[in-house]
Amino acid sequence: MYCRPPLSPDEPIRLKSLRQLNIVETPLEERFERLTRLTQRLLCVPIAAISFIETDRQWFKSIQGCALTETSRDISFCGHAILQDDVFMIEDARRDERFRENPLVTGEQNIVFYAGAPIHAEDGSHIGVLCVKDHQPRKFGEGELDSLRDMAQLVESELRSASSRAVQASLIEHYSAESRKARIDALTRVWNRMGIEEIATESLRRTAIGQGATAFVVLDLDGFKLVNDTYGHAAGDEALRIVAKRAIAMIRSTDSIGRLGGDEFLAIVTPCESVCFAEGLARHMHAAIISEPLRLDTVGAMIEIGASLGVRIIPNGTQAELGDVLHSADRAMYQSKGAGKNRVTTADSDAPPPAAAA
């Protein structure tokens, strides 16, 4: 049998500190994605993750190199790491009596090397771990251990900094973790249709009372059906996860992204300074998605994919119905497709709302 991590001596205090952060069951955020990408590159590892340890599971706020979103706490390496005051390292889990029969070692994940630095709440509680993993034995020297410690401190700084997620923040604080989970797309880990439409409705309300213009960007992938038909739905799912991460990297902390369904996404840009700003953000998002081929590890293929985008701006002080706005942005997206695909089109704000589809 493998060694299950014992509970922390201050478990009730630790869990209270974690829950007060309202971080579990929240969508991907670039500020944390950036830190795991940097850790992955800095330490030359295939997997880097920020995990938070709940009562019976570890939940990944951000993870690179792996599609897992959570695991049981019983099999987690991070469950052991939060009990340490310093980096917890396993050079070769296959030779370690505590872990050699662990499903994460013997199964598909094939975790051999692990190193994790605890993440502290403001009261000092160990609430999570910044960890790295490899599929082969390794040993970190003091320089690498220092780098992991420094990156963990950057994660702590982000947790303590005031986030300006605006409308997203109000949604996150209003709902429990379970309610938030129901509003997040399980595949891409951005908001699902229900979640992003709630954010859109609140954004339109704020725009109507003069709290800033809002832009809506509908994004639809070009040729996505061919990916599923050629490589299978597992590869298509991987492509969607990559696209979501690339799109998130282009928005601000006040903006939001959700998956409307299939290969269609909606970005809400608020406050939106100008038409030029919204168009520029949409073009940056488009460029990020098509910048380089998608590497699909599930099938060992590199594929190129395009994206058609439609933009609709609602000026400050304007009242608008969500259905009309989404129809208008959607129509602009289809204009992009009709003009040759793989481009950005902005809807005419003065045009009447499109007629309902037959």
Short mmCIF file of all heavy atoms in Angstrom, two decimals, residues 9 44 59 87 90 93 132 148 151 164 170 173 182 195 224 269 273 307 316 334 347:
data_model
loop_
_atom_site.label_atom_id
_atom_site.label_comp_id
_atom_site.label_asym_id
_atom_site.label_seq_id
_atom_site.Cartn_x
_atom_site.Cartn_y
_atom_site.Cartn_z
N PRO A 9 -1.71 19.34 11.73
CA PRO A 9 -2.08 19.58 13.13
C PRO A 9 -3.06 20.74 13.29
O PRO A 9 -3.85 20.76 14.25
CB PRO A 9 -0.74 19.89 13.81
CG PRO A 9 0.28 19.24 12.93
CD PRO A 9 -0.24 19.36 11.53
N CYS A 44 12.80 23.34 -16.00
CA CYS A 44 12.90 22.34 -17.08
C CYS A 44 12.18 21.05 -16.72
O CYS A 44 12.76 19.95 -16.75
CB CYS A 44 14.36 22.06 -17.42
SG CYS A 44 15.29 23.50 -17.97
N TRP A 59 -6.96 20.37 -5.38
CA TRP A 59 -7.56 21.03 -6.54
C TRP A 59 -6.52 21.94 -7.18
O TRP A 59 -5.86 22.72 -6.49
CB TRP A 59 -8.78 21.83 -6.10
CG TRP A 59 -9.46 22.55 -7.22
CD1 TRP A 59 -10.36 22.05 -8.11
CD2 TRP A 59 -9.30 23.94 -7.56
NE1 TRP A 59 -10.75 23.02 -8.99
CE2 TRP A 59 -10.11 24.19 -8.68
CE3 TRP A 59 -8.53 24.98 -7.03
CZ2 TRP A 59 -10.21 25.45 -9.28
CZ3 TRP A 59 -8.60 26.23 -7.63
CH2 TRP A 59 -9.44 26.45 -8.73
N VAL A 87 10.81 22.75 1.08
CA VAL A 87 10.49 21.96 -0.11
C VAL A 87 10.49 20.46 0.22
O VAL A 87 11.39 19.95 0.90
CB VAL A 87 11.51 22.24 -1.24
CG1 VAL A 87 11.25 21.32 -2.43
CG2 VAL A 87 11.43 23.71 -1.67
N ILE A 90 10.88 14.20 -3.77
CA ILE A 90 10.98 12.74 -3.97
C ILE A 90 11.77 12.53 -5.25
O ILE A 90 11.30 12.85 -6.34
CB ILE A 90 9.58 12.10 -4.11
CG1 ILE A 90 8.71 12.47 -2.91
CG2 ILE A 90 9.70 10.60 -4.26
CD1 ILE A 90 7.24 12.27 -3.16
N ALA A 93 10.11 8.13 -7.06
CA ALA A 93 8.97 7.57 -6.33
C ALA A 93 8.88 6.06 -6.47
O ALA A 93 8.32 5.38 -5.60
CB ALA A 93 7.68 8.22 -6.81
N VAL A 132 6.34 20.68 -8.89
CA VAL A 132 6.82 20.28 -10.21
C VAL A 132 6.97 18.76 -10.21
O VAL A 132 7.23 18.15 -9.17
CB VAL A 132 8.15 20.96 -10.58
CG1 VAL A 132 7.97 22.46 -10.72
CG2 VAL A 132 9.23 20.65 -9.55
N LEU A 148 12.36 27.30 -6.76
CA LEU A 148 11.01 26.83 -6.44
C LEU A 148 10.45 27.59 -5.25
O LEU A 148 9.26 27.97 -5.24
CB LEU A 148 11.04 25.33 -6.17
CG LEU A 148 9.69 24.63 -5.99
CD1 LEU A 148 8.81 24.82 -7.22
CD2 LEU A 148 9.88 23.15 -5.68
N MET A 151 9.40 31.08 -6.46
CA MET A 151 8.16 31.06 -7.23
C MET A 151 6.96 30.84 -6.33
O MET A 151 5.89 31.42 -6.55
CB MET A 151 8.24 29.97 -8.31
CG MET A 151 9.29 30.19 -9.39
SD MET A 151 9.12 31.77 -10.26
CE MET A 151 7.53 31.56 -11.05
N SER A 164 -8.45 42.89 -9.29
CA SER A 164 -9.43 43.80 -9.87
C SER A 164 -10.30 43.07 -10.88
O SER A 164 -10.52 43.51 -11.99
CB SER A 164 -8.71 44.97 -10.55
OG SER A 164 -7.78 44.49 -11.51
N SER A 170 -17.43 39.75 -8.04
CA SER A 170 -18.74 39.75 -7.36
C SER A 170 -19.43 38.40 -7.51
O SER A 170 -20.10 37.93 -6.58
CB SER A 170 -19.62 40.87 -7.93
OG SER A 170 -19.89 40.65 -9.30
N GLU A 173 -17.51 35.86 -5.15
CA GLU A 173 -17.79 36.07 -3.73
C GLU A 173 -19.23 35.74 -3.37
O GLU A 173 -19.53 35.37 -2.23
CB GLU A 173 -17.47 37.52 -3.37
CG GLU A 173 -15.97 37.83 -3.44
CD GLU A 173 -15.69 39.32 -3.37
OE1 GLU A 173 -16.66 40.09 -3.17
OE2 GLU A 173 -14.52 39.71 -3.53
N ALA A 182 -20.51 24.75 -10.66
CA ALA A 182 -21.59 24.56 -11.64
C ALA A 182 -21.55 25.59 -12.75
O ALA A 182 -22.24 25.44 -13.76
CB ALA A 182 -22.94 24.62 -10.94
N GLY A 195 -22.30 30.67 -16.45
CA GLY A 195 -21.45 31.61 -15.73
C GLY A 195 -21.16 32.87 -16.53
O GLY A 195 -21.26 33.99 -16.02
N PHE A 224 -12.55 23.31 -36.91
CA PHE A 224 -12.43 22.47 -35.72
C PHE A 224 -13.02 21.08 -35.94
O PHE A 224 -12.52 20.09 -35.41
CB PHE A 224 -13.10 23.15 -34.52
CG PHE A 224 -12.99 22.36 -33.25
CD1 PHE A 224 -11.78 22.24 -32.60
CD2 PHE A 224 -14.10 21.73 -32.71
CE1 PHE A 224 -11.66 21.50 -31.42
CE2 PHE A 224 -14.00 21.00 -31.54
CZ PHE A 224 -12.78 20.89 -30.90
N VAL A 269 -15.16 42.29 -22.29
CA VAL A 269 -14.10 43.26 -22.05
C VAL A 269 -14.71 44.47 -21.35
O VAL A 269 -15.48 45.22 -21.95
CB VAL A 269 -13.43 43.69 -23.38
CG1 VAL A 269 -12.28 44.66 -23.12
CG2 VAL A 269 -12.95 42.47 -24.15
N GLU A 273 -12.24 50.96 -23.06
CA GLU A 273 -11.92 52.37 -23.26
C GLU A 273 -12.41 52.92 -24.60
O GLU A 273 -12.80 54.08 -24.70
CB GLU A 273 -10.41 52.61 -23.16
CG GLU A 273 -9.85 52.51 -21.75
CD GLU A 273 -9.58 51.08 -21.31
OE1 GLU A 273 -9.95 50.17 -22.09
OE2 GLU A 273 -9.03 50.87 -20.22
N ALA A 307 -9.28 31.07 -36.43
CA ALA A 307 -10.35 31.54 -35.56
C ALA A 307 -11.02 32.75 -36.21
O ALA A 307 -10.34 33.64 -36.73
CB ALA A 307 -9.83 31.91 -34.18
N ASN A 316 -20.90 53.40 -23.06
CA ASN A 316 -21.24 53.72 -21.68
C ASN A 316 -22.58 54.45 -21.63
O ASN A 316 -22.85 55.35 -22.43
CB ASN A 316 -20.14 54.59 -21.06
CG ASN A 316 -20.32 54.73 -19.56
OD1 ASN A 316 -20.81 53.84 -18.89
ND2 ASN A 316 -19.89 55.87 -19.03
N TYR A 334 -19.85 35.67 -37.93
CA TYR A 334 -20.18 34.99 -39.18
C TYR A 334 -19.79 35.82 -40.40
O TYR A 334 -19.50 35.28 -41.47
CB TYR A 334 -21.66 34.61 -39.22
CG TYR A 334 -21.94 33.32 -38.47
CD1 TYR A 334 -22.62 33.32 -37.26
CD2 TYR A 334 -21.49 32.10 -38.97
CE1 TYR A 334 -22.85 32.14 -36.57
CE2 TYR A 334 -21.72 30.91 -38.29
CZ TYR A 334 -22.40 30.93 -37.09
OH TYR A 334 -22.62 29.77 -36.41
N ALA A 347 -19.04 44.69 -35.24
CA ALA A 347 -20.42 44.99 -35.59
C ALA A 347 -20.64 46.49 -35.56
O ALA A 347 -20.00 47.23 -34.80
CB ALA A 347 -21.37 44.31 -34.61
#
